[in-house]
């Protein structure tokens, strides 16, 4: 019980660390995911192939392997001396982007055909159709799966702790090393994750209600 | 496919010309990325034939083979146990006795909400500190912590998938079975579960892909599965003064991707076959459920016969 009170600063730092890496990885995943989804529905074959390869490879690779790549290969061939925060964000963001891409792509298919047809008959180009007509409408159907993806991302961020980034898993390991009973550490960490995931799903439900539109 | 046709017409001559230009530019951009990666790898001496020769050594090959076998072993045990647990939790969650229902719901919600790594780690610590009492030796604490963690997490998810499947069975089936005088157990085992499992098989197998990928968490609790073996090999084998992370990771990554793709292909094949049959129960899509909540919602939605 008193493990939480004794180590409140550590728990707080871990909590904030989890929040920080989840947020930055989510941002990276959203940007990359929407971009790759655009590739996958574009009329340009090489980009479509690139998008397909991206999703296939990243979705079928264990996240732990991506972390290994980020922490041992990326510093070797790209930039040396990047912090665990940056490398962890890269691994989590790239992995999650493939799920975001698939969610966005299936969201695009739910937009009624007539919408894109009308946009084209007004003389809009592909990118205008996508940007102004289809994506804003697709966004609404994408919100529920996106919420699940972000929650999964929050839980996946625990792996960053195993690679030396200070977040909740990292803190539980630290406190266990100091001899505190694992059951209490487990319960408090579980509670912390519950707080984050509830907040995320609440936020997305709010967003969903705001953007709701009769179709 | 359908996504593409929504966004653009069959291109005319002008659009075709433009698309060709974009294709060339896109191809150049993609090739440029690949070339950049290759050049960087080359600059670091990672494309030297000597680096890749390590796979000619019997030791490296047996290492990889043993890693694959250990991974498959963990996967097999965890898959069977998680399916059994999932079945048990589903039945418990649909039980008529409130305490059992509550217990099952609490179990499912707790283990779905906690990151799998933290569950595995906690189990590992518990098993390690009770190692002698439990009679575990060698790497058995790691093995069982990994298997137990995978089982409780994926069992909880599979339970939600199965529950969605049972909810998708038309109500009349259950009513007809009771009308015939079947007992609760009979209704569940001979009427509801077979249909639910059949409808949910693609999603169940897709969740097994997740289980297979998650075996790599064993790396973090120092269990010698494929990833850990790879890590050990790449730090130990030094070529030209460099560790051999890059070639080993490329090979190991391809093995993981191939294993997962084979399993996903099975899920897709079953989905296609299921669509052919006319049972009146919608077959769940084979897409990987990102989170369990997603699986339950996504599966229940198309069937539309929730009660």
């Amino acid at each position: 019980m008193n493990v939480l009170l004794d180590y409140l600063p550590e728990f707080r730092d871990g909590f904030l660390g989890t929040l920080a890496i989840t947020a930055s990885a989510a941002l990276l995943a959203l940007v990359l995911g929407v971009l790759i989804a655009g590739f996958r529905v574009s009329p340009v074959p090489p980009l479509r192939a690139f998008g397909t390869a991206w999703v296939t490879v990243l979705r079928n690779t264990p996240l732990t392997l991506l972390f290994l790549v980020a922490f041992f290969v990326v510093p070797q061939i790209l930039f040396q001396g990047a912090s665990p925060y940056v490398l962890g964000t890269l691994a989590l963001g790239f992995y999650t982007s493939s799920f975001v891409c698939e969610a966005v792509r299936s969201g695009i298919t739910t937009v009624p055909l007539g919408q894109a047809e009308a946009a084209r008959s007004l003389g809009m180009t592909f990118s205008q159709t996508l940007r102004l007509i289809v994506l804003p409408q697709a966004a609404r159907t994408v919100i529920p799966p996106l919420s699940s993806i972000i929650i999964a991302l929050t839980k996946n961020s625990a792996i960053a702790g195993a690679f030396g980034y200070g977040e909740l898993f990292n803190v539980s390991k630290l406190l266990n090393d100091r001899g505190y009973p694992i059951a209490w550490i487990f319960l408090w960490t579980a509670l912390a994750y519950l707080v984050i995931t509830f907040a995320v799903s609440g936020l997305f439900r709010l967003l969903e209600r705001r953007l709701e539109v009769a179709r | 496919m359908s996504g593409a046709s929504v966004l653009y017409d069959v291109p005319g001559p002008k659009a075709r010309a433009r698309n060709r230009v974009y294709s060339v530019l896109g191809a150049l951009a993609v090739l440029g990325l690949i070339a950049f990666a290759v050049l960087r790898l080359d600059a670091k001496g990672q494309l030297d034939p000597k680096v890749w020769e390590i796979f000619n050594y019997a030791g490296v090959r047996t290492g990889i083979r043993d890693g694959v076998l250990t991974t498959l072993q963990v996967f097999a045990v965890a898959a069977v146990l998680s399916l059994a647990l999932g079945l048990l939790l589903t039945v418990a969650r649909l039980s008529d006795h409130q305490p059992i229902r509550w217990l099952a719901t609490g179990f499912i919600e707790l283990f779905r909400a906690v990151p799998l790594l933290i569950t595995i780690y906690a189990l590992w610590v518990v098993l390690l500190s009770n190692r002698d009492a439990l009679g575990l030796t060698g790497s058995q604490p790691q093995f069982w912590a990994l298997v137990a963690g995978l089982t409780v997490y994926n069992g909880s998810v599979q339970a939600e998938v199965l529950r969605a499947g049972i909810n998708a069975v038309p109500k009349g089936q259950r009513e007809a079975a009771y009308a015939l005088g079947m007992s609760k157990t009979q209704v569940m085992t001979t009427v509801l579960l077979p249909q639910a499992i059949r409808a949910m098989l693609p999603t169940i197998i897709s969740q097994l892909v997740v289980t297979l990928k998650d075996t790599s968490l064993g790396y973090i609790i120092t269990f010698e599965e494929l990833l850990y073996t790879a890590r050990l090999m790449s730090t130990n084998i030094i070529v030209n003064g460099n560790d051999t992370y890059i070639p080993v990771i490329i090979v190991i990554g391809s093995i993981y991707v191939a294993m997962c793709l084979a399993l996903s292909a099975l899920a897709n094949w079953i989905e296609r076959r299921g669509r052919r049959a006319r049972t009146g129960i919608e077959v769940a899509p084979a897409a990987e459920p990102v989170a369990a909540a997603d699986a339950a919602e996504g599966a229940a939605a198309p069937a539309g016969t929730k009660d």
Side-chain angles (χ1 to χ4, degrees), chain B residues 88-111:
Chain B
L88 195 74
L89 284 174
T90 313
V91 174
R93 211 181 160 166
L94 297 170
S95 159
D96 285 340
H97 307 285
Q98 210 168 38
I100 297 181
R101 224 159 47 216
W102 280 349
L103 267 179
T105 312
F107 186 91
I108 292 173
E109 294 301 334
L110 174 68
F111 285 107

Side-chain angles (χ1 to χ4, degrees), chain A residues 187-200:
Chain A
L187 277 181
W188 288 122
T189 325
L191 208 66
Y193 276 104
L194 271 176
V195 168
I196 300 180
T197 49
F198 265 116
V200 170

Side-chain angles (χ1 to χ4, degrees), chain A residues 145 147-149 151-152 155, chain B residues 93 108-109 111-113 152-164 203 207 210 288-300:
Chain A
S147 156
S148 306
I149 291 172
I151 287 173
K155 295 194 287 166
Chain B
R93 211 181 160 166
I108 292 173
E109 294 301 334
F111 285 107
R112 258 180 20 173
V152 292
Y153 175 72
N154 290 293
S156 304
V157 178
Q158 301 282 19
E160 288 297 272
V161 172
L162 274 178
R163 195 169 63 102
T203 313
Q207 186 59 35
V210 180
E288 185 174 314
V290 182
D294 196 27
E297 280 163 25

Side-chain angles (χ1 to χ4, degrees), chain A residues 59 64 77 95 116 120 155, chain B residues 6 9 40 112 213 216:
Chain A
R59 264 171 44 130
T64 327
I77 64 167
Y95 180 75
R120 277 203 309 277
K155 295 194 287 166
Chain B
V6 176
D9 280 314
R40 289 299 300 178
R112 258 180 20 173
K213 284 195 320 190
S216 69

Side-chain angles (χ1 to χ4, degrees), chain A residues 32-42 100-102 104-105 108:
Chain A
L32 273 176
V34 172
L35 184 73
I36 303 287
F39 282 3
R40 286 204 75 174
V41 298
S42 80
V100 173
C101 166
E102 289 305 88
V104 170
R105 201 167 66 105
I108 287 175

Side-chain angles (χ1 to χ4, degrees), chain A residues 40-48 50 56-65 68-69 72-73 76-80 95 99 105 108-109 111-113 116-117 120 125-126 129-130 134 144-145 148-152 154-156 158-160 162-163 167-169 172-174 176-177 182 186-187 189-190 193-194 197, chain B residues 1-9 18-19 22-24 26-27 29-30 33 36-37 40-41 44 46 109-119 121-123 125-126 153 209 212-214 216-217 219-220 227 230-231 242-243 245-246 249 252-254 256-258 260-261 264 286-288 290-294 297:
Chain A
R40 286 204 75 174
V41 298
S42 80
V44 184
L47 293 184
R48 273 209 304 265
F50 179 74
T56 311
V57 170
L58 284 176
R59 264 171 44 130
N60 289 294
T61 312
L63 182 55
T64 327
L65 180 75
L68 215 61
V69 173
F72 296 104
V73 177
Q76 218 180 90
I77 64 167
L78 285 177
F79 25 82
Q80 276 163 340
Y95 180 75
F99 294 93
R105 201 167 66 105
I108 287 175
T109 57
V111 176
L113 197 66
E117 282 173 351
R120 277 203 309 277
T125 63
F126 169 74
T129 312
L130 197 60
V134 177
S148 306
I149 291 172
I150 304 288
I151 287 173
T154 311
K155 295 194 287 166
N156 283 336
I159 301 178
F163 284 83
E167 49 71 78
L168 283 165
F169 174 66
S172 356
K173 236 171 47 173
L174 179 95
N176 176 62
D177 288 344
I182 189 76
F186 179 79
L187 277 181
T189 325
Y193 276 104
L194 271 176
T197 49
Chain B
M1 270 181 292
S2 52
S5 64
V6 176
L7 294 167
Y8 46 86
D9 280 314
R18 202 170 53 224
N19 280 351
Y22 287 153
S23 292
V24 170
V30 173
L33 261 177
F36 174 71
R40 289 299 300 178
L41 286 174
K44 299 287 170 185
Q46 292 292 346
E109 294 301 334
L110 174 68
F111 285 107
R112 258 180 20 173
V114 180
L116 177 54
L117 176 60
I118 290 184
T119 309
Y121 178 76
L123 286 166
V125 171
V126 171
Y153 175 72
V209 177
L212 177 59
K213 284 195 320 190
D214 283 345
S216 69
L217 289 175
Y219 167 84
I220 290 160
L227 200 60
R231 165 86 205 276
N242 276 328
D243 53 42
Y245 270 112
I246 291 163
I249 278 178
I252 299 290
S254 324
Y256 271 115
V257 172
C260 293
L261 279 182
S264 318
E288 185 174 314
V290 182
D294 196 27
E297 280 163 25

Side-chain angles (χ1 to χ4, degrees), chain A residues 120-132:
Chain A
R120 277 203 309 277
S121 62
L122 286 175
M124 286 188 178
T125 63
F126 169 74
S127 70
Q128 276 175 327
T129 312
L130 197 60
R131 214 158 25 94
L132 300 171

